[in-house]
Amino acid sequence: MSHVVSPIREHLVDGGKSYHDVTHDICKQVEGAPTKEWKIAFGVSCVIFAYGAYCLFWTWWEGIGVWGLNKTVGWAWDITNFVWWVGIGHAGTLISAVLLLFRQKWRTSINRSAEAMTIFAVLCAASFILAHMGRPWLFYWALPLPNTFGSLWVNFNSPLVWDVFAISTYLSVSLVFWYIGLVPDLATIRDRAQTKASKFWYGLFSLGWTGSAKTWARYEYVSLILAGISTPLVLSVHTIVSMDFATSVIPGWHTTIFPPYFVAGAIFSGFAMVQTLLLITRVVFKLEDYITIEHIEMMNIIVTVTGSIVGIAYLTEFFIAWYSGVEYESYCFINRATGPYWWAYWMMMTCNVISPQLFWFKSIRTNLLVSFFLSIVVNVGMWFERFVIIVSSLHRDYLPSSWAMFSPTMYDMGDYIFSFGLFFTLFFLFAKFLPVVNMAEVKAVMKGVSSNYPHKKSHGGGKAKTTTH
Amino acid sequence: MDTNQKYLVGIYEDEDEVLHAVSEVRGKGVKIEEVYTPFPIHGLDVALGHPRTRIPKAAFLFGLTGLTCALSLISYTMVFDWPMIIGGKDAFALPDWIPVSFEGTVLFTAFGMVFTFLASNGLWPGKEPRLFDLRGTDDKFIMAVNLGSNRLSENEIESVLKESGAIEVNVKQF
């Protein structure tokens, strides 16, 4: 199982770190008192959360009539935001599962925060699912519960029911994957803990982990199998989300290209969000030696590839709309690009297809400021993609007298703001109380990829090389 | 757990060294109880002579259970308990059931396997870990030798551990 690392590879861990340095660097942000920057950022996100919670409360109290929906546009920001957050929630599992199967070592220092981001993003998405039910306290009607509740069984032929299963499975399996990965690192913090409180809490959640060879051997199988089942899982989730639309008969939704197109878009937006968060995290927690330019560049390459796939999907949709000869389908697409929502369409095209192409230049994809800016641009574009698909397909239906426009109310916006508040509040809590980098996995790949352990082992032979994944 | 057992604890600094040391120490007839490391080392369980884990088999069986449960629930509700006529089509619509059956399989596999993993290692919230050295979760590789289960004397084992590259050898009593 030895790995030979090519000497021309860039180091993934810089700064001449030893194993103890890794422990120290990652644990110190958990052990120390919160910094001023953290307090300010956390305070701001709590304020946003509180305002959003008020708007969401009012939506629940009064009903979804407070949104700007009308009889023509019956789905707008709620589903847009849901699809947007679920899409973002794809990157974490993709990084930890798919890149594990492909033995990409650069995933080790970013997978923990990417997985955390995934879980928080899926929770944000779930808030829109609940809100758009209108009566969220009856959410359990979506579960297969028997007739004693006065309703029939759920219809297992319906993509909306598939979605319930897909999202809840995805959320719980991601949570398990993340937690199992955390256990060894929590034990590290427990064994360094100085205060009684942290000894207790990290001791409680580290489950009595000792790091014995037997446990690690089982642990490796567990991670590998979790990665193996999470890979089709993550692909199934956005496939099923896309089927919410694709199995309908609405022009603009009824297209077979949706599943791969949505999955590519999800990876695209998810990686962009990971990029945004990592670029902040590495500076705030001084993790430049662990999240290096090499990592940023790899992420940008994936953003470019998936952005290009999304671009091809846009063009294919247009071509097929014309080639199918269906006039409603053709009209829908011409209306998207030139109708009253042309600005949303071109916003989407510019942000998702054109601007990521700048990453073909190495100087741009290794520039931190430009990467940060473009990562936000990508997610703006991906929000508009969902808005375009949903609203522009609905607002001009078969009967011209029913044509309408959609304008959001403060509650549409407030519920969206709520999801940001929730997301950042949870992310800042995570970043303060849990190790943001997977220490065990980084240590396991240090030989060969760290500047402190030069590639001497690659030339020697003889002694068995150790490494994992 | 037995009480009052005496252990010799060898501390190693490098994963290659400890892997090498395990074969060396075992070759000299010393029974190693367990090695504790801050991260997984490939081949260490084999070197220690631990039997191969059956976790993958358990995972497969949990997956099969999940698939069976999902398909049974769906076919019971959709075909037997309350069949619905949708477009005049057959109530037994297997292709439509693939998504939910798949999710059920994944859900059962993940949870079943993880709980099996926790149970087989005796990990649960609040468990007091049996630690030979606190550095074992940081940067050192810890080899524990139970003196009670070895025929060699304490001094002999200590010298074997030192020869194999241990930077320290400590005594630990439980």
Side-chain angles (χ1 to χ4, degrees), chain A residues 270-314:
Chain A
F271 270 74
M273 185 58 106
V274 172
Q275 185 80 293
T276 310
L277 290 178
L278 282 182
L279 285 166
I280 300 171
T281 311
R282 76 193 284 273
V283 175
V284 172
F285 294 124
K286 299 185 178 56
L287 295 172
E288 286 93 341
D289 289 331
Y290 300 96
I291 301 163
T292 62
I293 299 287
E294 174 81 357
H295 290 94
I296 306 293
E297 193 183 346
M298 292 290 197
M299 302 278 291
N300 283 336
I301 290 171
I302 293 185
V303 165
T304 316
V305 170
T306 47
S308 306
I309 296 174
V310 167
I312 289 170
Y314 294 164

Side-chain angles (χ1 to χ4, degrees), chain A residues 13 41 93 129 154 178 208 224 260 360 364 366 384 386 407 453:
Chain A
V13 181
T93 311
I129 291 280
V154 294
W178 183 61
L224 189 65
W360 284 100
I364 289 185
T366 52
F384 276 100
R386 278 62 178 253
S407 49
Y453 295 95

Side-chain angles (χ1 to χ4, degrees), chain A residues 100-130:
Chain A
L100 187 146
L101 296 182
F102 282 112
R103 296 177 185 272
Q104 294 293 306
K105 289 182 184 173
W106 58 274
R107 99 203 137 77
T108 54
S109 52
I110 58 174
N111 61 0
R112 168 72 45 75
S113 46
E115 283 171 43
M117 183 219 71
T118 283
I119 292 160
F120 306 148
V122 176
L123 286 175
C124 292
S127 78
F128 291 101
I129 291 280
L130 287 178

Side-chain angles (χ1 to χ4, degrees), chain A residues 324-375:
Chain A
S324 69
V326 180
E327 54 183 313
Y328 301 108
E329 190 78 15
S330 310
Y331 176 73
C332 178
F333 279 87
I334 291 166
N335 182 46
R336 265 184 200 180
T338 61
Y341 281 115
W342 65 271
W343 47 273
Y345 183 83
W346 290 104
M347 187 82 179
M348 160 191 113
M349 271 295 191
T350 316
C351 295
N352 292 350
V353 186
I354 300 166
S355 63
Q357 300 303 324
L358 290 171
F359 285 138
W360 284 100
F361 299 101
K362 193 174 171 92
S363 58
I364 289 185
R365 65 174 186 262
T366 52
N367 183 312
L368 300 177
L369 270 179
V370 179
S371 298
F372 183 70
F373 178 70
L374 285 179
S375 72

Side-chain angles (χ1 to χ4, degrees), chain A residues 19-20 23 153 191 218 447, chain B residues 14-15 42 81 121 137-138:
Chain A
Y19 296 139
H20 181 71
T23 313
W153 292 101
D191 293 346
R218 291 177 183 142
K447 283 204 173 170
Chain B
D14 181 282
E15 70 259 41
H42 271 295
D81 193 46
N121 293 304
T137 53
D138 176 9

Side-chain angles (χ1 to χ4, degrees), chain A residues 1 19-20 23 144 147 152-157 162 165-166 169 172-173 176 180 187-188 190-191 204 207-222 225-226 229 232-233 236 240 440 443-444 447 457 463-464 466-469, chain B residues 14-16 34-42 44-45 48 50 52-53 55-56 73-74 76-78 81-82 84 86 93 96-97 99-100 102-103 106-107 109-111 113-114 117-118 120-121 123-127 129-131 134 137-139:
Chain A
M1 291 289 256
Y19 296 139
H20 181 71
T23 313
N147 254 333
L152 307 180
W153 292 101
V154 294
N155 180 4
F156 284 102
N157 300 324
W162 303 346
F165 281 85
T169 303
S172 48
V173 172
V176 164
I180 287 297
T188 304
R190 171 200 68 200
D191 293 346
L204 185 69
L207 310 176
W209 178 273
T210 57
S212 74
K214 209 179 254 173
T215 312
W216 275 121
R218 291 177 183 142
Y219 174 92
E220 288 259 73
Y221 270 105
V222 168
I225 294 169
L226 277 177
I229 58 174
L233 177 67
S236 83
I240 291 172
K443 288 173 195 166
K447 283 204 173 170
K457 302 271 174 190
K463 221 155 75 162
T466 44
T467 40
T468 36
H469 309 315
Chain B
D14 181 282
E15 70 259 41
D16 291 332
E34 186 56 297
V35 175
Y36 300 86
T37 62
F39 53 82
I41 300 174
H42 271 295
L44 186 62
D45 52 322
L48 281 165
H50 290 327
R52 202 185 150 97
T53 168
I55 283 265
L73 175 74
I74 301 172
Y76 169 69
T77 56
M78 301 294 290
D81 193 46
W82 199 295
M84 284 180 281
I86 301 164
D96 289 356
W97 302 349
V100 175
F102 170 74
E103 307 296 337
V106 169
L107 191 68
T109 312
F111 277 85
M113 175 175 66
V114 165
F117 167 74
L118 297 179
S120 62
N121 293 304
L123 299 173
W124 65 82
K127 187 195 173 186
R130 192 156 165 266
L131 294 170
L134 286 180
T137 53
D138 176 9
D139 62 340

